[in-house]
Amino acid sequence: MVGFLSATLNGILVAGLYTMMSFGLALIYGVMKLVNLAHAGFIMLGAYATFALYSQFGLDPFLTGIITGPLFFFIGMGLHKYVVRRLPESGNTPAVQSLLLLFGVWLVLQNLGYLIWGGDTRSILTSYTMKSVSLGPILIAMPQLMVFLVTSVTGIALNYVLAKTYLGKAIRAVTQNKGAAQLVGINAPRIQMIAFGLGIALAAMAGGLTSTIYPFTPDFGRSFLLKAFVVTVLGGMESFWGVAFGAGLIALLEQYSAMYNFYPNVFTDAVTFTLLVVALVVMPKGLPSVGNQLVKFVQPWFEKTFGRKAVAGS
Amino acid sequence: MKRYLGPAAAALLVIALFSGPGYLERGSLNDIWNVSLYVVLASAWNIMGGMAGQVSFGYSAFLGMGAYATVLLCLHGWNAYATIPVGMAVAAVFAVIVGLPTFRLRGPYFTIATIGVSEAVRVFAQGVEWTGGSSGRRMPIQYGDFLHKWLPDVPRGQAIFLENYYAMLILAVVVVGTVWYIQRSRFGLALAAIKQDIDAAEALGVSATWFKVRAHALSAALMAIAGSLFAINFQYIAPNSVFAFNMSLQIVLMPVIGGVGTLVGPIIGGVVFGYLQIKLLTIQALRDSNLLIYGMLLIVVMLFEPRGVLGLIDRVVKFVGRGLPKARKEARHAA
Amino acid sequence: MPHEVILQAKGVTKRFGGLTAVNNVSFEVTQGEIFGLIGPNGAGKTTLFSCLVGAYPPTSGEIYFKGKRIDGMHNHAVVRMGIVRTHQIVKPFREMSVFGNVLVGASFGSKPKSGAVAAKFVGEILKFCGLAHRAEAPASSLTIGELKRLEISRALATEPEVIMLDEVMGGLNPAEINDAMALIRQIRDSGKTVLMIEHHMKAVAGVCERAMVLNFGNKIAEGTTRDVLNDPRVVEAYLGDHSAAG
């Protein structure tokens, strides 16, 4: 029982990290239907930036987000304005071109990383890295807890921005229908640039957070990128809670399979990647859409039996 | 006259390469082997990625399957070259099984799926015992005696080297020839239609899925042959070399930079890639920066000339051609 | 061939989520006729075409071609049986030449050809549609009129028995419209059955023998072109509730 609770709790904590890591990807995809392969590169840069800030200036890694966030926001916007927007918009294969372009950016970032920092593994060790908090019989690692707290705060802030501010509403509008958004006066290219910057900033901050838990090399982003893909595909690319839900699913799956040995640990990643492919094929719009379909399916029966709708407003 | 220029040049090149051992030293022959390998990989990928328009970042899976088929069967006493059809079959079957559900995914979704599949294969190979896990496998020492039997005077080491050399050259000719043939065939026409507008193609009777499956299987099988030769040549394979994501990337980079979808593009890409790799390795400071350069090349290509080096040449030719009065006159007639 | 029913739809319905685009439409087309499909924008005409040709299956209902049931078959299979459609928004293969575009139809249609036979056939189709002089031109360099012709040429190259034209008159000037009408008559005279979605009433009146009217996915009239065009319900559908009296 303790094992189950421990795994669940850890899963939730890790899910926070995965959400942070994936939301930037989901945001960029939602607003411009762009699969940002360079995401991994920025996770990596975020980790190194945090490391630099910590080792040079002694800044607590969990506070580095205050600096790395805005920094990478502007870097992201610059990248969008001077590189991504330059893409010739041509007919049938713009998606592939942008994919390859961002892939090129990732390669450059990764190998610049190797050039500057070399291939040594680094990690961040603070005074409390090794500490843990005990919740009854369960032990929670301190860094994990801190990461979860930071992610939650960021998540709440993001949610607020998306729901209540003009920027947030504009972002959601462009995500749903770019043409219509422009018709009502939203400057779509500018919103896209801002969203891109935001996505990059989130990636960098996620990288910073991850560096407190995992050791990192310039190759850092790659496995996280694939995990982020799975999370966004499962969670549906277009809502924060969806991404959080997908993150939770993956994190819990990892924790439970490690605890109960569904399959040998070496295969963990293989399972995740296979899940990605299955999810892409079976439910490209993510689990929320499956949920919606299910609701639509069940609704008539529910109404007949209970005389009211199962889910209001559907 | 002009029509025969291309084939004539190609024939000359092939003859020059095949007679290479007569006048080139071992280092150069080795370089040619490497470049030929890259040309094979780039051209095979191009069948699917360039001609059919389905960009897959997971081709290392097929390379690895060919390599592992060869090594594992050789360890059971098979003749190395006899293992090639097996590797081809495994890769082709896998290509079909994976392709069928994923072909309905459009654009970037398909690409992501291929990354997922390829990485899953790699992790699986690392975890399982019979592939030797992450430490890989070695080829048994008795192999590659083919040429040696025919030319007993030639020292064994050299015979093996020559054998590998010609095997790769022959494969390169076969692959390029296959692409050349496809381009002129009904199959190639269907692929081009699918690439440019899949719905219009279907509306004219082209069964897109059927053609994609065949292109994928063919492409995979050719890649597997390269994998087998890879194993025979290097004698040692591991999941981190043959199933590596980096390998998949390089396979994509070459045809894209050279000119995706064309016959010559992947060749240019392979040559550029191969020689850059060799030259960079000699400069200590730039040793590991080949990927950096490729990344930058990719960005430049995607931003300014998505058709790659070949497209660039085409642009230059058109620009120069426009300056000549005769060309201008012809252009006016054609318009 | 004598005048028998070649295409038949029974209760065809197509729903997209909550939207019913085509609602319980039934009709018959006899071999060799030119059949018009008209109705206001958004009436479901193109959707009906898509169901007939197999671009997607109908939500319910049946479709018969020469007595054989074809609903649920994929687009490419239906084409091979002999039914082809053109697209309202033309979809040429931009990087191919005109010749190449038509060759695709000739190579994979209902009577696939290859090599010299195919090339000769493509030449004939291009001549028939008046595009022979543009055979080598890249599709991306064509005018809208030529693109419409290309769309028709490609479809004809599949050697269909039934060809479905989706608003081919859209964007054409009066001279081009007359040419198009003549071409359609020639297509029928060569033994094919033509279905056409059209907004241009003069063309419909001039070419179609019978017609069917859709409004909001429902069939509201079917019969000879003259009767249909004079039907008050049809007039009202096009003009809305604001009749001349209001």
Side-chain angles (χ1 to χ4, degrees), chain A residues 29 35 83 86 92 95-97 99-101 103-108 111 222 226 229 266-267 270 273 277 280-281, chain B residues 55 57 101 105 108-109 111-113 115-117 119-120 123 128 196 245 249 291-292 295-296 298-299 302-303 306:
Chain A
Y29 182 78
V35 177
V83 178
R86 284 272 171 87
N92 230 350
V96 175
Q97 259 174 260
L99 197 74
L100 290 172
L101 177 73
F103 175 59
V105 172
W106 178 23
L107 275 182
V108 169
N111 288 282
R222 193 175 17 117
L226 284 176
F229 277 150
V266 253
F267 291 136
F273 301 147
V277 179
L280 275 174
V281 174
Chain B
V55 176
F57 274 11
L105 298 173
Y109 283 123
T111 308
I112 297 173
I115 301 178
V117 169
E119 283 289 276
V123 174
V128 168
Q196 291 173 40
F245 187 53
L249 306 192
L291 281 180
L292 178 64
M296 295 198 287
L298 195 57
I299 295 174
M302 281 302 124
L303 280 182

Side-chain angles (χ1 to χ4, degrees), chain A residues 7 11 19 36 46 58 64 73-74 87 120 128 146 148 179 188 197 207 209 224 238 242 253 255 258 264 283 287 294:
Chain A
T19 310
N36 184 14
T64 57
F73 178 64
F74 286 108
L87 269 181
D120 315 316
Y128 49 83
M146 298 293 293
F148 185 74
L209 288 174
F224 288 113
E238 282 153 36
L253 176 66
Q255 294 291 327
M283 44 183 152
L287 283 170
L294 218 63

Side-chain angles (χ1 to χ4, degrees), chain C residues 18 37-38 62 71 76 84 88 93 102-103 132 147 150 162 168 170 174 190 229-230 232 240:
Chain C
L37 179 56
I38 62 180
E62 294 147 31
D71 50 284
H76 60 261
V84 75
Q88 185 178 344
F93 299 120
V102 180
L103 185 62
L147 282 173
L150 179 61
V162 175
V168 290
S190 71
L229 287 180
N230 287 326

Side-chain angles (χ1 to χ4, degrees), chain C residues 94 134 137-143 146-147:
Chain C
R94 292 195 180 275
R134 297 287 264 151
S140 49
S141 68
L142 263 51
T143 67
E146 291 170 330
L147 282 173

Side-chain angles (χ1 to χ4, degrees), chain A:
Chain A
M1 189 54 199
V2 177
F4 177 75
L5 281 178
S6 165
T8 309
L9 210 54
N10 271 315
I12 296 178
L13 294 181
V14 175
L17 181 69
Y18 287 170
T19 310
M20 187 74 165
M21 193 169 287
S22 315
F23 192 63
L25 196 69
L27 185 64
I28 292 178
Y29 182 78
V31 176
M32 3 185 176
K33 304 294 177 271
L34 212 67
V35 177
N36 184 14
L37 284 178
H39 193 78
F42 288 104
I43 294 180
M44 181 267 287
L45 281 183
Y48 276 95
T50 302
F51 181 79
L53 285 171
Y54 172 67
S55 57
Q56 305 278 12
F57 302 109
L59 189 60
D60 185 296
F62 292 104
L63 294 176
T64 57
I66 301 177
I67 299 181
T68 57
L71 173 68
F72 280 94
F73 178 64
F74 286 108
I75 293 179
M77 285 213 292
L79 184 66
H80 180 85
K81 182 164 177 197
Y82 294 110
V83 178
V84 179
R85 247 205 274 200
R86 284 272 171 87
L87 269 181
E89 277 280 334
S90 62
N92 230 350
T93 47
V96 175
Q97 259 174 260
S98 55
L99 197 74
L100 290 172
L101 177 73
L102 288 168
F103 175 59
V105 172
W106 178 23
L107 275 182
V108 169
L109 289 177
Q110 184 186 28
N111 288 282
L112 270 177
Y114 273 118
L115 223 60
I116 301 177
W117 293 296
D120 315 316
T121 315
R122 283 161 217 263
S123 46
I124 294 186
L125 286 166
T126 64
S127 54
Y128 49 83
T129 304
M130 290 307 172
K131 293 227 181 88
S132 43
V133 168
S134 48
L135 218 67
I138 308 172
L139 233 54
I140 305 176
M142 195 61 169
Q144 309 264 33
L145 189 61
M146 298 293 293
V147 166
F148 185 74
L149 286 174
V150 174
T151 339
S152 307
V153 169
T154 318
I156 295 174
L158 269 175
N159 235 5
Y160 178 80
V161 166
L162 278 180
K164 297 276 195 266
T165 65
Y166 174 79
L167 175 68
K169 289 188 203 163
I171 288 178
R172 283 188 295 145
V174 174
T175 303
Q176 288 181 27
N177 192 328
K178 179 176 166 197
Q182 285 182 298
L183 281 176
V184 297
I186 294 178
N187 185 345
R190 198 156 155 270
I191 296 290
Q192 288 181 330
M193 183 174 78
I194 295 176
F196 195 82
L198 196 57
I200 298 289
L202 284 171
M205 293 201 295
L209 288 174
T210 318
S211 69
T212 63
I213 303 180
Y214 299 101
F216 52 94
T217 68
D219 195 37
F220 192 46
R222 193 175 17 117
S223 62
F224 288 113
L225 179 70
L226 284 176
K227 218 164 275 193
F229 277 150
V230 191
V231 168
T232 39
V233 170
L234 272 182
M237 296 246 193
E238 282 153 36
S239 83
F240 181 79
W241 290 118
V243 173
F245 180 64
L249 222 68
I250 295 292
L252 286 174
L253 176 66
E254 284 179 350
Q255 294 291 327
Y256 291 145
S257 60
M259 174 124 301
Y260 297 114
N261 258 325
F262 293 158
Y263 42 77
N265 277 347
V266 253
F267 291 136
T268 317
D269 281 348
V271 170
T272 316
F273 301 147
T274 314
L275 207 63
L276 168 65
V277 179
V278 170
L280 275 174
V281 174
V282 171
M283 44 183 152
K285 292 231 191 303
L287 283 170
S289 85
V290 173
N292 277 338
Q293 301 240 13
L294 218 63
V295 167
K296 274 203 193 91
F297 189 69
V298 162
Q299 195 78 294
W301 168 86
F302 198 89
E303 276 189 56
K304 251 201 286 193
T305 323
F306 298 106
R308 59 177 184 82
K309 287 186 188 282
V311 176
S314 67

